[in-house]
Every structure is written in structure tokens, then in C-alpha cells.
Amino acid sequence: MTSEDGWSLDLQLARDTTTVGDLPLCQVRLIDDANYPWLLLIPRRRNVSEIIDLKEGDRAQLMREVARAADVLKTGTGCHKINVAALGNVVAQLHVHVIARFHSDPAWPKPVWGFAPPQPYDDYVRTKLIAAIREQLAIAK
Amino acid sequence: MTSEDGWSLDLQLARDTTTVGDLPLCQVRLIDDANYPWLLLIPRRRNVSEIIDLKEGDRAQLMREVARAADVLKTGTGCHKINVAALGNVVAQLHVHVIARFHSDPAWPKPVWGFAPPQPYDDYVRTKLIAAIREQLAIAK
């Protein structure tokens, strides 16, 4: 039995996002909001809502994967700042936000949550963005 | 020369917080807002504004120290959720928020930033809280 047994993605997280792919620990998803290039990293572990619910090795891996995602967003978008956050007040399943922020984005310099209504992606733009992120993260489709 | 050479705490971070003490990597400070038990962890490294500006060993240590702080807040306060975030849109110096959240707190379930005006601590309460956190983090005064 692996630690992934019985893990399934929270339905609300699934609804607001599109799959990018799997890193060794986390499922990577793109938030469906064209206001910000915004990834979610969700460790594929059951019954985990806090970082401290993860075992130490998984925590270390989470940091490596967050750094990888941050690096890809920073390099790929040329953003001014990366925001990283594990909040989880609404959806309990542990998920880490990694967000590319620009001085020109709708919420800058405030945090993004609850600020501007989500802006739908043009399908072509989203597909290209996800393909680019997949390639940079070296995630197979 | 150590990596700490030339590091100094950002003045705005200093102004809004009280010193708790030093972990191996981070200076730990308490945000002066009695609405939420709220720690800041600031890596004592020069010219670092993103997690990915840290070397890999420091990133791993940051994760360990964030987990320690989260554990202490969770155990010490009995809070319902821990929020962890590295935003830094206003103050560039890398600082990680570790916040104890309660269903009864003023911002719940929203993020805390920009929600309720900071509530001053009673001096006695703050002193006791800092002493308790120091003891649990095994930080000397």
C-alpha cells in the first residue's frame, strides 16, 4: 500500500482548476483565473490538511516542488513577485498556492484571494500556458 | 564570513512586530495584533525576497522551522487551522507568516491581510505569549 492509496482530489479544488500533471508528491493544477498565472500543488496524501500533517520527508519534498513551481512561474512569466501560501480555511485538503504577481495585476500589492472576480481563460491561451508549464516542470501529459 | 553577515531586519517588519528569538535560520517575531496569534519567520540571509533566492539547504531548513512554528502555535493555542504564507508584495525581505486561525476570529474564513484593524496586545498577555512560544520553540531569551 502506498501513501497515495485512497487519495482523491477535493471536488471544489477540481472544479476551479485544470490539471497540469503530477510531480512526485503533488498534483499540479492551474487555477482558472486569467488575472494571475496561479498554480495549486496538492500533495497526494490522504487526510492531510496542514503541512505538519505530512511526514518529514514529504514536507521536504513539498518544499522542493513548491520551489520548482515558483521557479517555472518566475522564469516563464517574468513576474515581479511569487506568492506562496497554504491557507485551507475553506477547503480542508492541503493545497499550496504558487502565484505569479505583477505590479499591473488587479490585486497588486494585496493578496489575490477574494479581490477580483475570476477572469475566464481563452481556451487557446490556457492550453498553451499549461503546455509550457508542463514542459518546464518536465511533467508528461 | 557567514551568510548572516550584513543581514539586518527590514524596518517595517521590525515596527509591526516583537522579537521572539532566533532559530538556526530564521528570526522569529510576533505580529503586534491580538486578533490572531501570528508569527513571522525571517531567514537571516541578505538580499533574499523569494524562497527560490535561498540555497537548497536553507529552503529545507526554512520548511523545518515553519513546521516547528506551526506545531507550536497549533499545540499552544488549540487553533482550528494554521495559515502559512510568503507573500512579500509590500516588504521585499523574505518573511513567512505562520498564523493560528480560529472559526471565531475576525477574518475567518478569509485570509487575515487587510481585513480587521490590528488590535493592540495587553502587555502582560503579549509577554506571557512570547515566553510560552520561546519555551516551546526552545529559544533562549
Side-chain angles (χ1 to χ4, degrees):
Chain A
M1 175 169 154
T2 72
S3 312
E4 288 185 41
D5 282 345
W7 180 84
S8 63
L9 182 65
D10 175 273
L11 290 177
Q12 187 169 339
L13 295 184
R15 202 188 53 202
D16 302 336
T17 59
T18 303
T19 310
V20 176
D22 281 356
L23 291 171
L25 175 65
C26 294
Q27 181 161 123
V28 182
R29 305 186 65 86
L30 179 75
I31 294 253
D32 290 326
D33 182 352
N35 285 316
Y36 325 93
W38 181 348
L39 297 175
L40 280 191
L41 272 64
I42 307 128
R44 296 187 304 281
R45 295 289 183 262
R46 284 181 67 184
N47 301 326
V48 166
S49 65
E50 301 283 4
I51 289 171
I52 49 175
D53 295 337
L54 291 171
K55 293 180 182 162
E56 196 168 347
D58 281 347
R59 282 183 215 158
Q61 183 60 24
L62 178 61
M63 174 54 97
R64 285 190 287 269
E65 296 186 6
V66 163
R68 253 174 96 180
D71 201 32
V72 161
L73 280 187
K74 181 95 182 164
T75 308
T77 70
C79 63
H80 299 109
K81 190 72 192 70
I82 295 287
N83 290 174
V84 173
L87 305 177
N89 304 336
V90 177
V91 172
Q93 183 172 73
L94 179 61
H95 56 286
V96 181
H97 303 266
V98 184
I99 314 163
R101 302 297 310 274
F102 293 85
H103 298 162
S104 58
D105 75 37
W108 184 267
K110 295 184 178 161
V112 298
W113 299 277
F115 195 87
Q119 196 71 19
Y121 270 105
D122 176 276
D123 278 350
Y124 175 77
V125 171
R126 183 171 47 197
T127 302
K128 288 249 312 181
L129 179 59
I130 289 178
I133 293 169
R134 242 180 224 144
E135 192 184 337
Q136 287 156 351
L137 284 175
I139 287 178
K141 192 174 177 177
Chain B
M1 176 169 151
T2 74
S3 309
E4 289 185 40
D5 282 344
W7 179 84
S8 62
L9 182 66
D10 175 272
L11 290 179
Q12 188 168 340
L13 294 184
R15 201 188 53 199
D16 302 335
T17 59
T18 304
T19 311
V20 176
D22 281 354
L23 290 171
L25 175 64
C26 294
Q27 181 160 123
V28 182
R29 306 186 65 86
L30 179 76
I31 294 253
D32 290 327
D33 182 352
N35 285 317
Y36 324 93
W38 181 348
L39 297 174
L40 280 190
L41 272 64
I42 307 128
R44 297 187 304 278
R45 295 290 182 261
R46 284 182 67 184
N47 301 325
V48 166
S49 64
E50 301 282 3
I51 289 171
I52 50 176
D53 295 338
L54 290 172
K55 293 182 182 161
E56 196 168 347
D58 281 346
R59 283 183 215 158
Q61 182 61 22
L62 178 61
M63 175 56 94
R64 285 190 287 270
E65 296 186 5
V66 163
R68 253 175 95 180
D71 201 31
V72 160
L73 280 187
K74 181 94 179 163
T75 308
T77 70
C79 63
H80 300 109
K81 189 75 192 70
I82 295 288
N83 290 174
V84 174
L87 305 177
N89 303 337
V90 177
V91 171
Q93 183 172 71
L94 178 62
H95 56 286
V96 181
H97 303 266
V98 184
I99 313 164
R101 301 297 309 274
F102 293 85
H103 298 162
S104 59
D105 76 36
W108 184 267
K110 295 185 178 162
V112 299
W113 300 277
F115 194 89
Q119 196 71 17
Y121 271 106
D122 175 276
D123 278 350
Y124 175 76
V125 171
R126 181 171 50 199
T127 302
K128 287 251 311 184
L129 179 60
I130 289 178
I133 294 168
R134 239 180 226 146
E135 192 183 336
Q136 287 156 350
L137 284 175
I139 287 177
K141 192 173 176 177

